[in-house]
Amino acid sequence: MKRIQKERDRLLRKLTRVSGLSGAIGAFVCLLVPGASTGVELALAAVLSAGAGVCIMLHTARGALLPALGAVACAIALVSVLGAAPVLDPVAVAAMAVTAAMTASSVAITLIVRADGPYLVLALAAATLIAVGVVAATGHSMEAVAVGTLMGWAANASIGIWLDRSIATASERIGEVGRAHEAERLASELESQQRQDARVLHDTVLATLSLLAHSGVGVGASALRQQAGDDARLLRQLRLGAPLDRGSTTVFSPESDDESLSMTFESVRQRFARMGLDVNWHGTGRLALPRDTLDALLGAVGECLENVRRHAGVTEADVTVSDDDRTVRAMVTDAGTGFEPGTVDGARLGYAESVVGRLQMVGGRARIFSSPGSGTTVMLEVPKP
């Protein structure tokens, strides 16, 4: 059974318990009024009211049918006992009305939602009305009691039906929201994967194509062949539907299961050394990070170094790694031509996705410090776990 159905049944049983016990207690209190009943009637009323209350408690504990029938039987018996008196006090009539309209009819709240609920409720309501009619046949005026009985059964049955349908409608709406959320999550994951693939392609295949377009100036033929081979493997993985961000290239993933920054950085350094850019590394020798964070940081470092190689007009760059209790920082520095940071187009894929986008995915950020003729420093920051 779904959790929302369990909560529905719990709510219905709670309402039944409150209504039924209130009716049983209210009827007995009415009979305590002097002159409302004789000593024998009061004693029987106490026993029957207590019996009805116990049956209601048992019924509302687990929703069993037999205690519900027992509660209605006790209520009918109480009406019959009070109706057997030669003369009915108005307070006794009120007690009968409360018993028939509240105590007996309270079980309609829970029974109406059963598969056979409508038939059960109709049968029990008819039995209660017959008991009232039998008392009326002895000459007592029972119109008010009969009307109250009808209204009580109708009201409690309506409450049960309304709550059942309202909760069912709410469950459907929750299901629709859940399905919409799942669809949005899948779409978001797909978009994220596509963006990640675009980053990797931009940082590798497109970079190699740019080298080829410029006839590989400054890069040896063997380095170009090796890089083209790596790119071919990337394209093959893309064609087969494999993700590009897990082990597809040593630029973005560790060469082994050891998640030390030095091992990963070494693969980056070797790649750019083949392309004619010497990278000097300073700082922490070993630094453990979660795989996603490590890939994002090294991917951003690789793209910054690619920008140095292509635009700075130098053959050397420095990467300095430091950390504190909360953050790991990597500074990529060159003494090249520099530029005005405000002139960088924020929509460029290389900056917006391969650097900023990568770091934002893991809660990090990037900052650029540069000016024309004074070199460039890019500060990359990622949080520690």
Side-chain angles (χ1 to χ4, degrees):
M1 182 182 293
K2 294 181 179 180
R3 180 176 180 181
I4 195 167
Q5 291 177 319
K6 293 182 179 180
E7 293 298 326
R8 177 207 65 182
D9 292 343
R10 186 179 303 172
L11 175 60
L12 294 177
R13 291 198 295 267
K14 186 174 182 180
L15 290 175
T16 297
R17 186 184 308 124
V18 171
S19 178
L21 293 180
S22 298
I25 295 171
F28 182 70
V29 169
C30 288
L31 296 176
L32 293 176
V33 176
S37 61
T38 64
V40 176
E41 291 173 344
L42 184 60
L44 289 173
V47 173
L48 293 172
S49 296
V54 170
C55 288
I56 288 172
M57 291 296 294
L58 292 175
H59 169 61
T60 55
R62 295 188 178 274
L65 176 60
L66 190 59
L69 300 179
V72 176
C74 288
I76 290 175
L78 180 55
V79 171
S80 301
V81 167
L82 296 177
V87 179
L88 287 179
D89 187 272
V91 178
V93 175
M96 295 169 68
V98 170
T99 300
M102 290 187 65
T103 307
S105 67
S106 64
V107 299
I109 298 175
T110 51
L111 296 182
I112 196 67
V113 300
R114 292 167 54 104
D116 55 353
Y119 303 105
L120 277 172
V121 171
L122 285 174
L124 294 175
T128 307
L129 284 171
I130 289 172
V132 173
V134 170
V135 174
T138 62
H140 298 301
S141 178
M142 300 293 288
E143 290 84 356
V145 178
V147 172
T149 301
L150 279 172
M151 293 180 63
W153 279 95
N156 284 327
S158 298
I159 289 173
I161 293 173
W162 176 74
L163 285 174
D164 178 52
R165 293 183 177 177
S166 298
I167 292 174
T169 301
S171 178
E172 292 177 1
R173 297 293 183 269
I174 292 172
E176 291 175 359
V177 171
R179 289 189 292 273
H181 174 73
E182 180 67 12
E184 182 179 357
R185 183 185 66 81
L186 292 175
S188 177
E189 290 180 353
L190 178 60
E191 180 184 2
S192 177
Q193 185 62 54
Q194 291 173 340
R195 293 176 66 183
Q196 180 65 21
D197 293 349
R199 292 169 191 156
V200 177
L201 288 173
H202 172 272
D203 299 349
T204 54
V205 176
L206 295 182
T208 303
L209 291 176
S210 176
L211 278 175
L212 292 174
H214 292 82
S215 303
V217 176
V219 181
S222 60
L224 275 176
R225 282 195 296 269
Q226 183 173 350
Q227 187 61 34
D230 292 341
D231 294 344
R233 286 192 292 273
L234 278 177
L235 293 175
R236 189 179 305 113
Q237 288 185 346
L238 179 61
R239 180 174 58 83
L240 296 176
L244 298 181
D245 59 342
R246 290 294 180 265
S248 59
T249 168
T250 56
V251 175
F252 306 109
S253 302
E255 295 177 336
S256 66
D257 293 334
D258 182 6
E259 294 186 352
S260 64
L261 189 62
S262 59
M263 286 293 293
T264 323
F265 177 82
E266 179 60 23
S267 61
V268 178
R269 188 193 66 78
Q270 291 177 3
R271 173 182 178 240
F272 284 99
R274 294 196 305 265
M275 297 185 184
L277 179 66
D278 293 328
V279 181
N280 302 313
W281 175 61
H282 315 277
T284 306
R286 298 175 64 87
L287 186 62
L289 283 172
R291 181 61 175 267
D292 290 345
T293 304
L294 187 63
D295 285 351
L297 179 61
L298 268 295
V301 168
E303 176 61 17
C304 290
L305 291 173
E306 177 65 18
N307 288 335
V308 172
R309 188 191 68 81
R310 294 174 60 185
H311 305 298
V314 295
T315 59
E316 186 178 14
D318 294 274
V319 176
T320 303
V321 180
S322 63
D323 68 305
D324 55 31
D325 293 339
R326 296 183 179 182
T327 307
V328 176
R329 298 177 181 86
M331 289 192 304
V332 181
T333 305
D334 68 79
T337 57
F339 62 95
E340 184 61 46
T343 63
V344 177
D345 185 0
R348 288 179 58 189
L349 182 62
Y351 177 76
E353 291 295 337
S354 295
V355 178
V356 178
R358 262 200 181 97
L359 298 182
Q360 286 181 344
M361 290 289 290
V362 295
R365 63 173 181 168
R367 290 178 288 173
I368 298 177
F369 306 93
S370 182
S371 61
S374 299
T376 301
T377 296
V378 182
M379 174 75 76
L380 309 174
E381 297 181 345
V382 292
K384 280 188 173 181

